[in-house]
Amino acid sequence: MSIDVLFEKFPIINGDTISLSKIETTHLDDVFSIYDNDLVFEYCGIIPKHNKVTVKNMIGHFERDYNKRSRVKWGILLNDSSNKLVGIIEACAFNQKVNMVTIGYFLEQSYWGRGVASEAVRLLTSYFFETININRIQAEVMPGNDASKRVLLKNGFSKEGTLRQANIWSGKGIVDLEIYAILKNDYKSKEGT
């Protein structure tokens, strides 16, 4: 794992229709429209935020977490003239001993079902395997979150099982979590076909 590369300079990852980039205070309105929607966090361990000042402070926490090397949150930005931030994808729980990372993502509701999350996961998966040399990428999904499961399966992740009553998520209490993961070897064989 080349974790130092990840935290040397905030990585910008460019795709065809979106880019993954640093979230700035200039994105406040877009970030607030995501965090202000209860439906966005129906299946997340995140409590919605209905106060713009709170969300502005959170953006500062994103940078603090990056500087502490504990978590990276990318804004999912459209590659068009609007440069609108339509979602967030993050990496956390870096485990250098087994060369693994956990990812999560959420989108503004009006962008659900448009392939944005799938492209974001594809870009981040490629970045972690090809640039950071991660061996395992995993995601934890609540059993009812079928849309997120489809995004992961489309990107070559496999369901490994369900951890029953294994975690406490903010606003949800004790939850079951399905684990989806992809290994670098899975990714290489998928790329070779």
Side-chain angles (χ1 to χ4, degrees):
M1 177 187 304
S2 306
I3 197 89
D4 292 336
V5 172
L6 177 62
F7 292 106
E8 198 172 273
K9 178 183 175 199
F10 195 94
I12 296 171
I13 306 165
N14 295 306
D16 296 331
T17 60
I18 61 166
S19 295
L20 308 182
S21 190
K22 186 176 181 181
I23 301 168
E24 307 278 1
T25 52
T26 55
H27 299 121
L28 177 59
D29 289 340
D30 293 340
V31 175
F32 180 69
S33 72
I34 294 168
Y35 276 92
D36 191 38
N37 184 337
D38 292 0
L39 283 177
V40 169
F41 300 105
E42 182 178 2
Y43 297 110
C44 295
I46 297 171
I47 297 172
K49 310 289 186 280
H50 304 297
N51 179 306
K52 206 176 243 190
V53 173
T54 301
V55 173
K56 184 177 182 183
N57 290 335
M58 279 178 30
I59 292 172
H61 295 166
F62 298 165
E63 182 157 5
R64 178 201 65 198
D65 291 345
Y66 177 78
N67 290 333
K68 285 170 44 180
R69 299 167 67 112
S70 64
R71 179 179 302 261
V72 184
K73 283 191 192 259
W74 286 268
I76 302 171
L77 297 143
L78 299 178
N79 287 345
D80 62 15
S81 58
S82 74
N83 204 32
K84 180 175 174 56
L85 187 148
V86 299
I88 294 173
I89 189 165
E90 67 179 330
C92 59
F94 295 94
N95 184 330
Q96 294 188 66
K97 289 180 181 173
V98 294
N99 199 6
M100 176 181 95
V101 66
T102 300
I103 65 168
Y105 44 88
F106 43 92
L107 296 179
E108 178 185 300
Q109 187 177 357
S110 63
Y111 286 86
W112 292 358
R114 295 187 183 189
V116 174
S118 292
E119 185 177 353
V121 169
R122 182 182 58 76
L123 289 171
L124 193 57
T125 299
S126 174
Y127 172 77
F128 275 130
F129 285 142
E130 295 175 15
T131 304
I132 306 301
N133 201 27
I134 289 277
N135 184 56
R136 175 186 167 89
I137 303 169
Q138 72 175 30
E140 301 171 340
V141 183
M142 286 183 71
N145 193 348
D146 294 332
S148 189
K149 294 177 200 179
R150 283 192 299 274
V151 165
L152 294 166
L153 293 170
K154 185 176 179 180
N155 278 284
F157 285 67
S158 299
K159 179 182 175 185
E160 295 185 334
T162 302
L163 301 176
R164 297 180 309 141
Q165 300 177 12
N167 212 329
I168 296 176
W169 274 16
S170 299
K172 304 287 183 276
I174 298 172
V175 295
D176 294 346
L177 293 173
E178 293 181 7
I179 302 299
Y180 287 77
I182 185 171
L183 301 177
K184 190 168 190 176
N185 282 343
D186 303 332
Y187 174 78
K188 282 183 177 176
S189 30
K190 185 180 151 215
E191 291 294 299
T193 56

